[in-house]
Amino acid sequence: MLGAELKQNIKQAIESFSKENLTEKSLNLFQVLGYKTKRQFHLSNPTFSEFKECYIESPSAFNEKKALVSEWNYVDLLFQLSEEEIHNQLSFFSTEKVDNTIIESYLFFVIGLTKPQYTRTELSQITREVNKLFKMPAMLLFKYGNNLTLSIIDRRLNEKDESKDVLKKVTLIKDIDINKPHRGHIEILFDLSFDELLRIHNFTNFVDLHNAWKKTLDTKELNKKFYKELSNWYFWAMDNVSFPDDIEKSKNIRNATSLIRLITRIIFIWFIKEKDLIPENLFDCKELGRILKEFLKNRKSKSYYMAILQNLF
């Protein structure tokens, strides 16, 4: 499947969460991302009480208060991803100890929450508490309000007791808008798709797969990718732009200075847009075509710059 087609399918899968049946929509999203398995063990009743009966033994390290279970309005086990399923896609895939870590399978859960918004700390706490219950990592997909969050936890073997794991950092893809998915979120989910991870990281076991997830979601890696793309665009633009020579006569100096100024202004405008400090319709072509007479009629029109950008700059 081509990248553009997969990204469109990811977008549609996210938007489908506006409808009911969290289990069905969640399974569809992961299938679109390439994680396919028949090991599905759904709860007969997708409630915390059923989850507790099935998975929480007494006594247990699971802390209901930290897990905010009073705010769970839905929970289900989606599927287990094991060596057998991945081996069907990759004949050379194996389970083994790598870097003091053994991962032989993954569990995927979906949890619906009652409030419209949750902090990173709250979602991380829930992730930690759920992962205390299982010997294999559990990836959680949260649904609250109009948002989704995908949660992944890092874990390693306990150095004193290899039958136990030490839970480490929780990484979140947070607040994916189901009504209007952000392109950045779609790009990240695309990068997490099975085939894309395999293409880039060439993993051969669950530990490698887990590390590929971690690296893809690592803030430093995302920043590095952003600046690399920005740099590539800058050098491409330098060969394709022209600016008036009324002040600076040197073409190279003029273009470089003006282009950097343009980039910083665009980044600033995007920032205030993402913070909802300016109306969304200022970036909607159809709406702009309605309020600016020349916007859609004349490609050389300066109306958008004069009416919108100049004021924001």
Side-chain angles (χ1 to χ4, degrees):
M1 184 183 295
L2 296 176
E5 182 182 355
L6 177 54
K7 290 174 186 178
Q8 180 61 28
N9 290 345
I10 291 171
K11 180 176 182 291
Q12 291 173 352
I14 293 170
E15 291 171 338
S16 73
F17 278 86
S18 60
K19 301 174 183 178
E20 296 299 322
N21 199 325
L22 264 183
T23 296
E24 179 184 311
K25 304 307 177 186
S26 301
L27 286 171
N28 178 57
L29 175 60
F30 284 114
Q31 286 170 1
V32 167
L33 294 175
Y35 300 97
K36 303 172 183 178
T37 175
K38 294 181 180 179
R39 288 177 179 262
Q40 299 180 14
F41 312 100
H42 307 308
L43 297 177
S44 57
N45 185 18
T47 62
F48 173 70
S49 59
E50 181 75 9
F51 175 88
K52 183 175 183 178
E53 183 176 336
C54 292
Y55 302 117
I56 303 178
E57 299 177 352
S58 184
S60 172
F62 184 87
N63 187 316
E64 294 189 13
K65 186 176 181 180
K66 286 185 178 180
L68 304 178
V69 299
S70 63
E71 298 174 28
W72 294 21
N73 59 19
Y74 192 100
V75 58
D76 201 4
L77 171 60
L78 297 173
F79 59 89
Q80 180 182 17
L81 190 66
S82 69
E83 179 186 7
E84 180 181 344
E85 282 75 37
I86 297 187
H87 202 274
N88 291 333
Q89 295 173 265
L90 302 175
S91 59
F92 51 82
F93 193 85
S94 66
T95 56
E96 56 184 328
K97 181 176 178 180
V98 180
D99 297 331
N100 200 36
T101 303
I102 297 176
I103 301 177
E104 296 180 340
S105 69
Y106 257 94
L107 294 176
F108 290 73
F109 283 89
V110 60
I111 297 177
L113 299 169
T114 56
K115 294 193 305 187
Q117 282 293 335
Y118 284 83
T119 66
R120 287 183 173 274
T121 300
E122 290 171 326
L123 297 176
S124 296
Q125 281 183 179
I126 298 172
T127 303
R128 289 184 180 281
E129 294 306 315
V130 170
N131 271 271
K132 288 178 182 179
L133 300 171
F134 304 101
K135 293 183 178 180
M136 69 282 286
M139 182 183 288
L140 307 186
L141 179 65
F142 295 102
K143 164 72 167 59
Y144 47 90
N146 292 321
N147 296 308
L148 301 174
T149 288
L150 187 62
S151 177
I152 301 171
I153 193 168
D154 194 15
R155 55 201 292 165
R156 63 168 174 80
L157 289 176
N158 188 311
E159 294 179 358
K160 295 182 179 180
D161 184 353
E162 290 200 356
S163 66
K164 299 179 181 179
D165 281 357
V166 176
L167 302 180
K168 299 173 71 178
K169 181 181 178 182
V170 175
T171 304
L172 306 174
I173 309 176
K174 191 172 183 294
D175 293 343
I176 303 169
D177 190 336
I178 64 174
N179 293 324
K180 194 172 183 181
H182 192 286
R183 187 176 70 87
H185 282 142
I186 294 173
E187 291 286 346
I188 292 173
L189 289 173
F190 171 77
D191 290 341
L192 287 175
S193 65
F194 187 90
D195 289 343
E196 187 67 6
L197 285 178
L198 180 62
R199 183 184 70 82
I200 295 174
H201 300 282
N202 197 30
F203 55 83
T204 59
N205 53 68
F206 271 114
V207 178
D208 286 347
L209 173 59
H210 180 82
N211 288 336
W213 281 338
K214 281 201 308 178
K215 189 168 185 179
T216 302
L217 295 174
D218 184 85
T219 304
K220 291 181 180 178
E221 291 297 323
L222 291 173
N223 287 340
K224 189 187 299 182
K225 180 180 179 181
F226 168 76
Y227 286 115
K228 182 179 180 180
E229 291 178 352
L230 184 61
S231 175
N232 290 340
W233 184 86
Y234 169 81
F235 288 114
W236 170 85
M238 277 291 288
D239 295 329
N240 292 275
V241 299
S242 62
F243 292 92
D245 62 354
D246 50 345
I247 298 177
E248 176 58 59
K249 300 303 179 182
S250 170
K251 179 181 178 181
N252 287 339
I253 295 176
R254 180 175 72 247
N255 284 355
T257 303
S258 300
L259 192 54
I260 290 172
R261 186 179 294 128
L262 174 65
I263 290 172
T264 56
R265 287 176 174 179
I266 289 174
I267 291 175
F268 170 72
I269 290 173
W270 191 257
F271 171 78
I272 59 177
K273 170 188 174 293
E274 291 300 296
K275 292 296 181 180
D276 295 323
L277 298 175
I278 52 178
E280 183 78 22
N281 60 9
L282 293 182
F283 305 92
D284 186 306
C285 286
K286 291 183 179 179
E287 182 65 16
L288 289 169
R290 187 183 67 81
I291 61 178
L292 298 176
K293 293 181 179 180
E294 296 295 318
F295 182 72
L296 295 178
K297 297 178 182 179
N298 182 4
R299 293 187 63 183
K300 294 184 178 181
S301 170
K302 299 179 182 178
S303 61
Y304 184 64
Y305 176 82
M306 300 297 290
I308 309 296
L309 292 183
Q310 183 173 248
N311 294 309
L312 295 176
F313 287 167

